[in-house]
Amino acid sequence: MFDYRLKVFHTVATRLSFTKASEELHISQPAVTKHIKEIETQVGAKLFNRKGTSIQLTQSGKILFEHAEKIRNIYRDMEFEISQISQQHKGKLIIGASTTVAQYILPEILAKFNSYYKDIKIELLTGNTETISTLLKEEKIDLGIIEGESQSSYFEYKTFKPDEIVLAAKSDHPLAHKILHLKDLYQLDMIFREQGSGTLEFIQNRLKEKEINLHDLNTVMQLGSSESIKNYLLHSECMAFLSISTILNELKNNVLTVIDIKNFSIERDFHFILPKGEQSELIKLFLRFAE
């Protein structure tokens, strides 16, 4: 029910890419451009600025994005509340989530879930993808949400949410606003996540596809969370591959910037990880809500 043109704008603003928005919405890039131009005409303001190969929201675009978020949430809440009339749910759900999901994506979902289902108790355990998989195998959690690429025959996997891993640096880095080539990575000081991290696994696999060996890069340090890496970047000339979900506030506040790499991107999906077989009603409810 979310107004389609507003949905197109919201997707472009979230992904900061006309190309990625067209792929996600399954429409052509000219169609995306047409919808954006129509909205710009309607509001009487430019919504995006181009900087090299990337785009950024204008001040008007930021205001529209904030209101589009509110409108999208209102529609979502309305549809969900209508669908849940006369249903009662009780119980406890133990969820395991990899670090990025637990810190940056789940809190809003859990708060909203609790506002609807006060009789369902949620316990959240956090760890890297490897840890969450182990917890589910040992039946210490009911379901997991992970960012890793490896999949096991023990589990069932469902797509949760798209994400992109980008190369980030402090906004006044000497290479800010430059377009790099993959071979330039060998000249950089890099920070990476710890072994067992799903983000690290994705980076390693995508670089390997381009014949770049992670172990040949100059890794200054490996840190156990995106927060640690972000704070390290602010005080150094290092760069790091980070989920775009983890740096949205830093990008808006212009303290971190995304460094473009020519002809290279790392796109992925976060996944629900579930025990095989029929799922409980509580798990089904949470899956429907989160999706």
Side-chain angles (χ1 to χ4, degrees):
M1 193 179 288
F2 189 39
D3 177 84
Y4 190 72
R5 280 190 304 176
L6 212 51
K7 181 179 180 181
V8 172
F9 165 76
H10 185 273
T11 306
V12 175
T14 301
R15 305 291 280 170
L16 288 178
S17 168
F18 283 78
T19 303
K20 292 184 175 68
S22 71
E23 292 171 353
E24 189 170 322
L25 295 168
H26 304 293
I27 61 176
S28 68
Q29 191 167 330
V32 172
T33 303
K34 178 176 178 290
H35 285 300
I36 297 301
K37 286 182 176 178
E38 288 174 349
I39 297 176
E40 289 179 330
T41 300
Q42 186 176 353
V43 301
K46 191 176 181 181
L47 301 175
F48 296 97
N49 283 326
R50 285 200 172 274
K51 297 190 73 175
T53 59
S54 62
I55 60 172
Q56 292 183 342
L57 284 165
T58 62
Q59 191 59 39
S60 297
K62 291 178 181 178
I63 292 172
L64 181 59
F65 182 70
E66 289 177 7
H67 287 285
E69 279 271 273
K70 294 175 184 177
I71 293 168
R72 183 178 71 112
N73 290 339
I74 289 170
Y75 274 123
R76 182 194 64 189
D77 294 348
M78 176 187 67
E79 292 169 355
F80 193 83
E81 286 179 26
I82 290 173
S83 72
Q84 296 300 307
I85 289 175
S86 302
Q87 294 191 41
Q88 293 184 345
H89 303 277
K90 295 182 179 180
K92 181 177 181 180
L93 201 56
I94 304 177
I95 301 170
S98 56
T99 313
T100 299
V101 177
Q103 285 187 316
Y104 302 99
I105 297 171
L106 266 187
E108 179 184 355
I109 295 173
L110 293 180
K112 186 71 72 172
F113 186 85
N114 180 251
S115 71
Y116 287 123
Y117 305 111
K118 296 190 181 298
D119 291 328
I120 298 178
K121 304 303 178 185
I122 298 284
E123 182 179 343
L124 176 63
L125 303 180
T126 304
N128 60 33
T129 295
E130 188 176 299
T131 300
I132 298 306
S133 299
T134 300
L135 288 173
L136 186 64
K137 188 175 180 180
E138 295 174 351
E139 299 183 353
K140 293 179 179 178
I141 57 175
D142 298 306
L143 76 154
I145 307 176
I146 61 171
E147 54 202 82
E149 190 167 33
S150 297
Q151 297 195 356
S152 165
S153 58
Y154 283 105
F155 310 122
E156 180 182 351
Y157 297 84
K158 293 180 181 291
T159 301
F160 168 43
K161 179 180 169 60
D163 184 46
E164 182 177 5
I165 297 171
V166 297
L167 185 62
K170 62 182 181 180
S171 58
D172 60 350
H173 193 284
L175 296 177
H177 312 305
K178 303 284 187 181
I179 298 176
L180 303 184
H181 294 80
L182 272 171
K183 64 181 180 180
D184 295 328
L185 292 176
Y186 291 111
Q187 310 303 319
L188 304 177
D189 291 334
M190 300 291 298
I191 307 295
F192 288 105
R193 284 285 303 274
E194 80 289 356
Q195 292 298 321
S197 159
T199 297
L200 180 65
E201 179 188 24
F202 257 93
I203 296 165
Q204 191 165 5
N205 290 346
R206 294 294 86 80
L207 289 175
K208 187 176 181 180
E209 290 173 1
K210 297 292 185 177
E211 300 182 347
I212 302 287
N213 190 326
L214 189 73
H215 300 294
D216 292 335
L217 302 183
N218 183 30
T219 301
V220 174
M221 195 173 298
Q222 289 185 268
L223 298 173
S225 73
S226 297
E227 284 298 308
S228 298
I229 293 176
K230 287 192 297 182
N231 287 321
Y232 193 104
L233 294 184
L234 294 177
H235 301 284
S236 77
E237 299 294 324
C238 293
M239 294 188 187
F241 284 103
L242 290 167
S243 163
I244 193 73
S245 304
T246 70
I247 59 172
L248 293 177
N249 286 333
E250 287 77 12
L251 293 177
K252 288 177 182 177
N253 294 325
N254 198 35
V255 294
L256 289 179
T257 188
V258 172
I259 308 294
D260 289 326
I261 302 177
K262 189 173 183 179
N263 299 325
F264 182 71
S265 63
I266 305 177
E267 296 173 7
R268 63 173 178 178
D269 291 315
F270 295 125
H271 284 92
F272 292 110
I273 177 173
L274 306 156
K276 283 195 171 179
E278 183 67 18
Q279 307 302 330
S280 71
E281 289 304 313
L282 281 184
I283 290 178
K284 291 178 182 178
L285 175 66
F286 184 81
L287 292 177
R288 287 198 301 271
F289 186 91
E291 291 170 344

